Amino acid sequence: MSTLAPRLCFLFPLLSLLLLSGCGPDERVLDDDDDSAVSDDDDSAAADDDDSPSDDDDAGGGCAAYGPPYTFELELVSSEGDSSTESVAFDGLSCTDYNGDEWSISYSNVDGWQLRVVAGPLAQGQTLSAEVANAKIDITLQNNSQQAVYSGRLSMGHLSSLEVQRYQGPEGPCGWLTTEPLPAPSAGGGSVAIGPQPLPFDCQN
């Protein structure tokens, strides 16, 4: 007993050090606010989620689409076939979540132009098109002061697609829109082509 006691007194502090070393910073799951060289932080969840086991270093980015201002070229074609091109700067973008997977995306212009897209169901990493069951893409371009209205509906045979690259946290989706020229529903006829395509949108309002 007398010879074993000193050995136990020596082993207990050593064992305590070994147990504590397993809780050091190299073994922790760090959030993406921790500016550390340790690589096991949470890089795929929502930004600033601090306690998520998954990683969120790229949550604020990762979308190739960019925010406004957007400059689009409008190629206007009359019912007689005459065409003209107008460069229009859309300086605003507002996005409204209707029911969780259907969104209204509206581009605005100081001269009265408005491009509005209502689409759903939107899912991250998926493309909405005519091949998707129950897909909805309604597009309207109008300028009330010029009495100009153009529109196209996927459900009525108008060809368009909308890719949701990712959702930017709680704000909304970002991605790309493609559309064939929009016809004028009025008796006067005509159409407008919008480019360059695909048209970007980044809902962070």
Side-chain angles (χ1 to χ4, degrees):
M1 293 291 291
S2 60
T3 58
L4 183 60
R7 293 181 183 177
L8 291 176
C9 292
F10 173 76
L11 288 174
F12 281 134
L14 181 61
L15 182 60
S16 299
L17 287 173
L18 289 173
L19 290 173
L20 289 173
S21 65
C23 302
D26 290 343
E27 300 297 327
R28 293 180 302 166
V29 175
L30 300 178
D31 65 79
D32 93 316
D33 298 330
D34 292 321
D35 209 7
S36 170
V38 179
S39 60
D40 55 344
D41 55 354
D42 47 342
D43 280 346
S44 60
D48 303 324
D49 65 332
D50 288 0
D51 57 357
S52 171
S54 55
D55 142 309
D56 60 10
D57 284 351
D58 63 349
C63 188
Y66 52 93
Y70 304 106
T71 299
F72 299 147
E73 299 295 323
L74 307 183
E75 184 180 354
L76 305 161
V77 180
S78 69
S79 56
E80 292 79 20
D82 299 324
S83 64
S84 62
T85 301
E86 183 176 351
S87 180
V88 177
F90 290 86
D91 54 358
L93 183 73
S94 63
C95 304
T96 303
D97 180 3
Y98 282 165
N99 58 14
D101 62 359
E102 183 174 302
W103 285 78
S104 169
I105 303 169
S106 295
Y107 305 76
S108 58
N109 165 267
V110 293
D111 296 321
W113 285 103
Q114 182 186 51
L115 174 62
R116 184 167 180 259
V117 182
V118 178
L122 302 185
Q124 180 168 300
Q126 296 186 14
T127 298
L128 198 65
S129 67
E131 286 71 36
V132 178
N134 301 317
K136 175 181 180 178
I137 305 178
D138 296 346
I139 305 173
T140 303
L141 175 69
Q142 65 184 38
N143 188 320
N144 294 332
S145 64
Q146 297 186 22
Q147 296 183 338
V149 178
Y150 306 89
S151 64
R153 291 189 173 189
L154 193 66
S155 61
M156 301 293 290
H158 178 78
L159 295 179
S160 61
S161 66
L162 190 147
E163 175 194 353
V164 179
Q165 190 170 2
R166 69 176 299 163
Y167 274 87
Q168 303 283 67
E171 293 86 359
C174 71
W176 307 93
L177 168 72
T178 63
T179 176
E180 291 292 302
L182 299 169
S186 64
S191 65
V192 59
I194 311 171
Q197 294 199 32
L199 309 177
F201 62 90
D202 189 354
C203 297
Q204 294 191 6
N205 60 313

